[in-house]
Amino acid sequence: MKKIHKSSEEKPVYNFRRAEEERKLKNYDEAIRFYTKNIDIHNGHSTSYFFRAKCLQDKKLYHRAITDYTKAKNSLHDKYECLISITICHFNLGRYSMAIENCDLAIAQNPQKSIAFYWKGLSFLISKDYRNASFAFIEAKELGCENSATPL
């Protein structure tokens, strides 16, 4: 029986490594292409969805990034990073109530991380809900947020 050799681009490990190299070089279109191949081969690969979403976010394609982060989130055990990334996309789209909702989901996942409180505070601040912004920023500071942009 003759072995059939797959081309390099049909191998999931090759696609993922190549995508990572392209992403590090900020060649986002090429990275997206290789992540997509990996997703196709694996019928949905949560890590590839997550990193493809990061590329889409870097290209400011926030709607598409949210879709990929959501697909990744549904398959990952630790959903926190996806929820924060979705929050940032909603924030950049001006959808502050959606950003706050995702912050609340992230806080439910891990109430000891300050970044969700920080983004929640920013979303409240931009929405001119200064009271809730203040509470969120205080919580972020108490949890160790050292972001110089925290307005407290």
Side-chain angles (χ1 to χ4, degrees):
M1 183 179 228
K2 210 175 191 182
K3 279 190 177 180
I4 300 173
H5 295 285
K6 292 181 179 181
S7 73
S8 292
E9 288 192 16
E10 292 175 357
K11 297 178 182 175
V13 173
Y14 170 82
N15 288 322
F16 192 80
R17 286 184 183 155
R18 181 71 190 273
E20 286 296 286
E21 289 171 15
E22 297 295 343
R23 186 172 68 87
K24 287 176 187 170
L25 295 171
K26 299 185 180 191
N27 295 332
Y28 299 123
D29 290 331
E30 277 301 294
I32 289 167
R33 186 171 75 83
F34 283 105
Y35 286 127
T36 301
K37 284 183 181 200
N38 213 34
I39 290 165
D40 292 344
I41 291 169
H42 282 293
N43 292 324
H45 183 254
S46 57
T47 306
S48 293
Y49 275 121
F50 180 81
F51 287 111
R52 184 173 75 175
K54 286 212 165 295
C55 293
L56 293 166
Q57 184 177 352
D58 287 339
K59 289 182 59 132
K60 298 183 181 358
L61 299 171
Y62 300 119
H63 291 94
R64 288 181 56 199
I66 289 168
T67 300
D68 275 8
Y69 282 130
T70 301
K71 289 176 183 176
K73 175 184 64 104
N74 292 336
S75 301
L76 294 173
H77 174 69
D78 183 5
K79 300 170 184 342
Y80 190 85
E81 287 298 319
C82 287
L83 290 166
I84 294 301
S85 296
I86 292 169
T87 294
I88 294 167
C89 289
H90 282 302
F91 184 90
N92 286 324
L93 288 167
R95 298 179 348 195
Y96 306 114
S97 63
M98 294 295 293
I100 292 165
E101 281 182 37
N102 278 278
C103 286
D104 287 338
L105 293 171
I107 291 165
Q109 280 280 308
N110 190 336
Q112 299 305 310
K113 288 190 176 180
S114 63
I115 195 71
F117 289 101
Y118 171 76
W119 281 100
K120 187 174 182 178
L122 281 181
S123 297
F124 277 129
L125 183 65
I126 297 294
S127 301
K128 298 185 180 177
D129 184 343
Y130 303 116
R131 183 172 180 263
N132 282 321
S134 178
F135 290 140
F137 286 131
I138 288 169
E139 190 67 33
K141 284 274 191 192
E142 287 176 358
L143 290 172
C145 183
E146 296 179 10
N147 193 323
S148 61
T150 304
L152 288 180

